[in-house]
Structures are given as C-alpha cells and as structure tokens.
Amino acid sequence: MKDFWIRLAPHRRAAVLELFFVYFELGVAVILLGSVLPELRENNGLSYAQSGNLLSVQSIGFLLVGLVTGTAVLKAGMKRAYVLFIAALPAGLLMLIAGGPYAFLLLAMLLVGVSKGAITDYNNRVMSDYADGAAAPLNVLHMFFAAGACLAPFLALLTASLFGGKGWLAALFFAFLLAAAAVVFGLFVKMDLKSVSASAAETASPGPEKGLGFFRDPLYLWTQLMGICDQALEASLMGWLTTFYLNSGVIGSRTAQLVTSLLWFAFLAGRFLCSLIAGKWRPSRMLLFMGCGSALFMTLLCAAGSAPLLLAATIGLGLCLSGVYGTAVSNASHIFSEYPSAMGLYVTISGIGGAAAPALIGLVADRSSVRAGFVVLAVLACVLALAVIMNLLLLARRK
C-alpha cells in the first residue's frame, strides 16, 4: 500500500482520499439507518411492512443505478457523474430527517440506494484503475466502509445520550453533514482515469457474448442460489437487526446498538480470516463451513432467549456469513471467465434477494412478530447450507 501511495500523483492522492472518505461516510449512513429504524418507524407512524419496504426500496435503487452508471460517465464525464450520484445520499438523508408522507420516505430511501450503488461502482472502478488491478488498495478501500459501519451504532448511542428522544435525528444529521462534506470535497477533486472511457463504453454497450449457456450448468445454479441467500441475509441484518434485538426483550436499547456493531466487527474479522485461509482451502470446502455455520448461528439467533446466546449467535453469524459472497464467486470462477454475461446476471439476480427479503420480514412482523420474520432468515440460511452441500457433492462427482 505504501508503494501504491508513493506512485500516485498529488491530484490522484486527493482523489483516493475522497474515495476513502465517501466509503467511510457510506458505511456510517447505511448502517445508521438500520440502527435508527425503530425510531424512524415510530415517529413516522409506519407499520413493520412499510419499514421493510423502505429497506427494500434502498436495495432496488442499488440495483437500478447499475444500468446507468456507465452511460452517465460517457455523457457527463467521470467527475460530474460521481459528484451527481454521491449528492443523492445527503439529499436522501435530509428527506428522512424532515419526514413526511410514506411515498416521500420511499423516495428518500430510493435516493440513498441509488447513491450507494453508484458509489460502490465508481469507487471500485477508480481505485482499480489507479492500482492497476492490485488487490491491497481495494481491500483498504473496503475497510473504510467497514470502519464506518462499525462506528454507526456508537454514533446512535452517543446522540441518544446527548439528545434523548431526538438523538436519532441528530445521528442522521451528522451523517448528512459527512455526506455533504464528501460532495463539496468531490467538487475540487480531479479524476483522470486512463480506462474510464473503455470501461464505460463496455458497460453501456456490451460486445458480443457467448450466450446464456451457464444457466445449464448446475454449478452456476448452486452458486447463484448461494448469492441470493447471502444478499437476502446481509440486507435484512443491516436493516432489521437492531429492531430484532429490541423486540426480543432480552437486551435494552443501548446494548442492542453495541451488539449491532459487534456484528460488523465479526464481519471484519471473518473477511480477514478468509483471506488467510483462501490459499490453503478450496472454495467449496470454505463454503461448506461458512454456509452450514450461517444456518446454525442464524437458527440460534432466532431461538436465543438470553443475552449470552444472542452475543454468541451474532459473532458466529458475522464470522460465517462474511466471506460467502466472494468465495461463491471464486467457486465458479471458470464460468464467470468463460461467459461475459454471467457476472452481471449473477450480481443482478443475487440482488433480488437483498431487495425482497427485508420487505418480507416486515410483512411477517406485522402479522406476527419480528422474531417470526427472522425465522424466514433462518429458513434462507438453511437453504444456503443445502446449496453449499450440493455444490460440494457436485464437484466431488465431477472429479
């Protein structure tokens, strides 16, 4: 990483600092929305189903923006497109602070999702270009998101202790200030990408493809199922976990925020462990432990009736779930290399799980309870376990 920084021209260093800052504040904002969801729901008179729809709309915005990010770069240039899309984040946060009709809140969350998707696209694109594909700078970039995610629940706790019942609004306002500062800083940053024209053109107008033959390969289908379950679990835990803790009656509001942060620390540790063992274990074997472990700890989380069990389930779930998505891609890497359209469809179809699951949990919670909604996640985790087992058996037969 030090060599990478030394090689950069001064204006590119400023651009990299912007990327780090934007990813950090995105981590704060996205996880904070889950942390303050109970207060947001109560103060706006929302049902659990409506709250779930807010989370799902965010995921829908994340998916839809991928259709236009490449074209936006071609039409407006990298810097203008970047600033325009990151500006949607403070706009969405300000709308949530102001409150209003349900449709107004849906639009606010859609803007947050659009900005999240564009930031994910552009930040990785720019960093990959500057690093010439090296993995270390990209890993550091993603650590800034995780750092913001870990700090978000502590921010909610701090503002609640300082401002009482209005603490959740103060936390959102702080996230708004961070996002607005990122937009202002972005206005003065120069982004000169050598590959941006080619990559944008490729995104906007894909070349000839080999077809959709990968859908006939059971390995791809099992891998796709893993991605759907993983994204459904991650999106739901981001938005609903704090609410689940509070409704469990086992822990109080302050402890609930701390335990939510603990999940993200477990995610960080899990991704670090995955990077250590990836060179020694086959992806299918790693997936077996992670998928079955996710099912075990998700079931334990649903059944837990004491604080120690909740803590153990949260840590175990974070460790097991953290590396599923990336390892699943490695599991079928030759398919993604052979078929140009395989990765795009994998990301899109997997994202449907992230868009649908939070809304489903809200619907079940309205009719029964949040814990019953989390039983849906336990079922999805068991489907994930089934997928990793069938994947391992399939590869064993092929050998």
Side-chain angles (χ1 to χ4, degrees):
M1 185 66 189
K2 183 179 179 180
D3 292 338
F4 162 75
W5 185 259
I6 293 174
R7 290 198 314 268
L8 290 176
H11 68 277
R12 285 194 168 187
R13 291 179 186 175
V16 168
L17 290 176
E18 165 75 353
L19 301 182
F20 288 162
F21 183 37
V22 168
Y23 241 8
F24 173 79
E25 57 90 10
L26 181 66
V28 170
V30 170
I31 305 306
L32 187 62
L33 288 175
S35 294
V36 303
L37 183 64
E39 290 83 2
L40 180 67
R41 179 178 60 82
E42 182 179 344
N43 281 268
N44 289 279
L46 303 177
S47 66
Y48 283 118
Q50 289 174 322
S51 301
N53 290 336
L54 288 180
L55 298 174
S56 290
V57 161
Q58 182 188 146
S59 297
I60 291 170
F62 182 92
L63 287 175
L64 291 179
V65 75
L67 302 175
V68 299
T69 49
T71 303
V73 172
L74 284 176
K75 299 293 185 181
M78 184 66 211
K79 176 182 172 178
R80 290 180 181 177
Y82 186 79
V83 172
L84 174 66
F85 280 115
I86 66 172
L89 182 57
L93 291 173
L94 193 59
M95 291 169 68
L96 290 172
I97 293 169
Y102 178 53
F104 183 77
L105 298 177
L106 284 174
L107 177 59
M109 290 296 276
L110 182 67
L111 288 176
V112 172
V114 164
S115 187
K116 178 185 174 185
I119 288 170
T120 301
D121 182 325
Y122 290 150
N123 274 28
N124 285 280
R125 186 186 303 201
V126 174
M127 185 62 83
S128 180
D129 185 276
Y130 286 2
D132 293 322
L138 284 166
N139 286 332
V140 172
L141 175 67
H142 285 268
M143 285 175 62
F144 274 85
F145 178 89
C150 290
L151 289 176
F154 291 102
L155 174 62
L157 278 176
L158 177 63
T159 53
S161 64
L162 292 176
F163 302 101
K166 298 295 183 181
W168 69 281
L169 287 172
L172 285 181
F173 186 70
F174 181 79
F176 162 76
L177 292 178
L178 282 179
V183 174
V184 173
F185 187 45
L187 293 172
F188 299 95
V189 168
K190 180 181 178 182
M191 292 184 179
D192 56 336
L193 304 188
K194 58 190 176 186
S195 63
V196 69
S197 297
S199 61
E202 182 182 338
T203 302
S205 305
E209 299 183 0
K210 295 183 63 176
L212 303 177
F214 53 90
F215 277 117
R216 294 190 294 270
D217 190 332
L219 179 63
Y220 178 83
L221 297 179
W222 289 121
T223 303
Q224 182 70 78
L225 184 57
M226 294 176 210
I228 292 171
C229 294
D230 173 80
Q231 290 300 287
L233 289 165
E234 284 201 26
S236 300
L237 290 171
M238 282 185 188
W240 281 111
L241 192 59
T242 302
T243 303
F244 170 79
Y245 289 145
L246 292 176
N247 280 260
S248 69
V250 176
I251 55 179
S253 58
R254 294 179 65 85
T255 308
Q257 298 290 1
L258 292 174
V259 179
T260 299
S261 185
L262 188 63
L263 176 73
W264 278 94
F265 281 110
F267 261 89
L268 270 177
R271 285 167 182 165
F272 178 71
L273 288 173
C274 284
S275 67
L276 291 180
I277 65 176
K280 301 177 182 179
W281 285 19
R282 295 187 304 274
S284 58
R285 187 182 177 193
M286 292 175 63
L287 285 168
L288 179 66
F289 282 93
M290 290 188 290
C292 293
S294 296
L296 172 65
F297 288 112
M298 190 68 236
T299 303
L300 178 61
L301 185 69
C302 290
S306 65
L309 282 180
L310 280 177
L311 290 173
T314 299
I315 294 172
L317 187 59
L319 290 173
C320 291
L321 197 60
S322 61
V324 170
Y325 195 85
T327 309
V329 172
S330 299
N331 177 70
S333 58
H334 66 282
I335 297 178
F336 293 121
S337 299
E338 183 179 354
Y339 293 93
S341 59
M343 179 57 77
L345 284 171
Y346 177 79
V347 172
T348 300
I349 296 173
S350 297
I352 293 173
L360 180 58
I361 291 176
L363 187 63
V364 174
D366 259 345
R367 298 186 177 185
S368 180
S369 65
V370 178
R371 187 179 290 271
F374 265 54
V375 172
V376 175
L377 295 186
V379 172
L380 285 172
C382 290
V383 173
L384 174 62
L386 173 64
V388 299
I389 291 171
M390 296 303 296
N391 175 75
L392 187 65
L393 293 175
L394 174 65
L395 291 175
R397 285 198 302 268
R398 289 185 176 183
K399 282 188 176 182

